[in-house]
Amino acid sequence: MEQRVIDTLRRVFELNGFIGIETRAVEQGSSLLKKGETSKEIYLLSRLQEVGQENDTPIEDRLGLHFDLTVPLSRYVVEHSGDLAFPFKRWQIQKVWRGERPQEGRFREFVQADIDVVGNGDLPEHYEVELPLVMVSALEQLRAYGLPKATVHANNRKLSEGFYRGLGLSDVEGVLREIDKLDKIGADEVAKLLVETCGADEAQARACLELAELTAADGKELSSKFDALCEAHGIAADSEAYQLARQGLDTLAMIVDEAARIRPGAVIADLKIARGLDYYTGSVYETFLDGAASLGSICSGGRYDNLASQGSRKYPGVGLSIGLSRLVSYMLHSAGAHASRVSPASVLVAVWDEEDRPASNLIANALRARGIAADVAPTAAKLGKQIKYADKLGIPYVWFPADKAGEGAGDEVKNIVTGEQTAADAQSWEPDTVYAQQTVEI
């Protein structure tokens, strides 16, 4: 199933002009720490000779396994900036490692699937509409395997930051981190944390929660409700805080309205989306599946303007990431998908006895030359055992070579799913489409 999902995502990404890359698994600690409060997630590496002496070396100077694919992308862009055409659109599907407690849907080693667009100096806002729509399109293709409908929930960090500053709060990053916990611990607990850890009073904490609860069907309604909220809490329209918030609001309204013209309902404004990492500077996204609230977000990301730089030159970007292993786990256990094939072969060529193995190999090679995946039985066991072997691997056809298929008979092939057996020629036979298109399952 995982390979099928990977193939589907890659196909959609490339259909939209994204270029595939691969980056090394090991990064310098200083690069890994660019994303903010992530040191507890990083698996650091040590040579055997260094065991016991690790504390003598700062994390920034050590090597570690990458915990996402965006930080390595920033290094890749800087190193290859002279060779890349900007805006650089890339997809990347690789393993990542995180030091978190394993549980259902969460792994220490897993596959992540990313798309990003990185600009040179600047990056047009229209990419902040394009990327969530590409992801929705990719996830839509997976509905054939039982995945529910996906919706992207969008917010903007400038909108949130401006509002918080307008309330008189200075620990913006702290407020964002606590608001990001709303779905996990609820409004009452978040309000307590805002007071205890972010210096907010009860009125300020309540206002932050009011912003998080704000919803709207379109950009115009969003703007109207936000202005009313600012007025209610004394945030003046001519203040710097309001102007910052307004920048984010205008971008968010544009994203929601433009996305609605292309794919209605695919992207909605949701002001409780915070993405509590200081890595993001503008739009932020979380993606949820209908009827799967307990799963949480399956795809997240946002706009980042300061992650990659080279001297005075900045490489702003916007990206989205799917925890692919987590998604596949959900599909197998909850969404009705199932693993039906072990082998990618469509045909198992039987072997009557070891002396006839060369003839079976010739048949298999003829089928492979025509693009039909074929395997040859590992031993010249009884025919029933060879058929059982094919069935265990999910191979739907068993091919019987002519010389031992019966007096005067030519080659025959048996569909062990339907039981049908027919005459066949390796130069012209084709499997039924339903079996030919099945792919290997892990």
Side-chain angles (χ1 to χ4, degrees), residues 12-33:
V12 175
F13 296 160
E14 293 185 346
L15 190 65
N16 285 273
F18 288 80
I19 301 167
I21 69 167
E22 182 174 337
T23 57
R24 63 187 183 229
V26 176
E27 296 284 343
Q28 194 75 27
S30 56
S31 294
L32 294 172
L33 291 174

Side-chain angles (χ1 to χ4, degrees), residues 44 46 50-59 62:
L44 295 173
S46 297
E50 298 171 339
V51 173
Q53 305 174 26
E54 295 90 345
N55 291 337
D56 297 336
T57 305
I59 294 177
R62 296 183 61 185

